[in-house]
Amino acid sequence: MPSNIRADTPYTKNTYTDASGSQVTIQNSFPKGGLRYTDPHGKAYVYAVFWTHIINETAQPFNLNIGFPVDSIELTSSPGSYFRILLPPDTMTTGKTSMFNYGLPRMELFLDTALLTPSTLKRTIAPHDSSAFYVVTLANQWVNGTLRAGLHMEKGKYYYVINGMKMYCGEVDKGFVLQP
């Protein structure tokens, strides 16, 4: 199976199958970071960095198109914690798994520019290939307990799940269902 991320590092690994039996696997990481960030106007935040790795085992290109709004959302498991999901344009690679923030460069510059814009990501993953990308959670305060997050497919839709709370983030272009 082609992979540019070590298979022993994901927090979740889910395989989805379409009607023809073709498979796509989505892996999501544990968080790194959890540091403080202050925006150019003096407002304080905390952030964590995750990665998501999609492995296309089909004979067709797999199109990923996800997005998140500018508005903050209250995390239901941590009342008073409001967060945003940000999608840096950088690509995650194997050599970055052990690095601080998974090797995501220029974090403060990215956060300064991403604060006021919706986050979107469009990628086409070639047949029998894979792609990994970063996800940054930015919150007004620490969450209650441990932060866990990841991308999932369900009934033709993408959801990003943070500590059990599902956020719709796009439509799947093919009919994949989770393998039991």
Side-chain angles (χ1 to χ4, degrees):
M1 174 171 68
S3 173
N4 65 345
I5 300 295
R6 287 182 21 201
D8 62 346
T9 59
Y11 162 62
T12 64
K13 179 180 178 179
N14 294 304
T15 300
Y16 303 86
T17 306
D18 69 7
S20 72
S22 296
Q23 296 181 332
V24 169
T25 299
I26 299 178
Q27 299 174 332
N28 295 290
S29 74
F30 288 97
K32 279 200 177 182
L35 298 178
R36 296 185 188 280
Y37 159 74
T38 302
D39 75 13
H41 304 288
K43 187 170 180 181
Y45 298 90
V46 293
Y47 71 86
V49 179
F50 297 85
W51 54 255
T52 294
H53 179 213
I54 299 178
I55 303 163
N56 179 10
E57 298 177 72
T58 74
Q60 302 296 320
F62 183 82
N63 296 309
L64 175 69
N65 186 2
I66 58 174
F68 299 96
V70 172
D71 299 330
S72 295
I73 298 168
E74 185 173 23
L75 186 60
T76 55
S77 63
S78 294
S81 290
Y82 290 85
F83 68 93
R84 287 210 37 223
I85 305 294
L86 306 172
L87 300 166
D90 304 84
T91 297
M92 176 65 191
T93 61
T94 303
K96 298 177 184 178
T97 56
S98 63
M99 297 173 75
F100 178 72
N101 284 341
Y102 292 117
L104 182 60
R106 306 171 307 278
M107 178 61 80
E108 190 167 311
L109 178 62
F110 166 71
L111 292 173
D112 287 348
T113 58
L115 280 175
L116 301 175
T117 59
S119 278
T120 60
L121 180 73
K122 292 181 182 185
R123 290 209 179 155
T124 298
I125 305 166
H128 307 290
D129 201 359
S130 67
S131 182
F133 57 92
Y134 292 100
V135 179
V136 176
T137 58
L138 183 67
N140 66 321
Q141 65 183 24
W142 301 107
V143 300
N144 297 329
T146 305
L147 185 62
R148 296 290 183 256
L151 183 70
H152 301 275
M153 286 192 272
E154 183 180 314
K155 297 181 181 175
K157 300 180 186 316
Y158 289 111
Y159 292 95
Y160 201 76
V161 181
I162 298 180
N163 286 11
M165 186 175 127
K166 288 191 328 187
M167 293 177 48
Y168 168 81
C169 59
E171 299 287 322
V172 179
D173 68 348
K174 298 178 182 168
F176 288 92
V177 295
L178 181 62
Q179 267 189 338

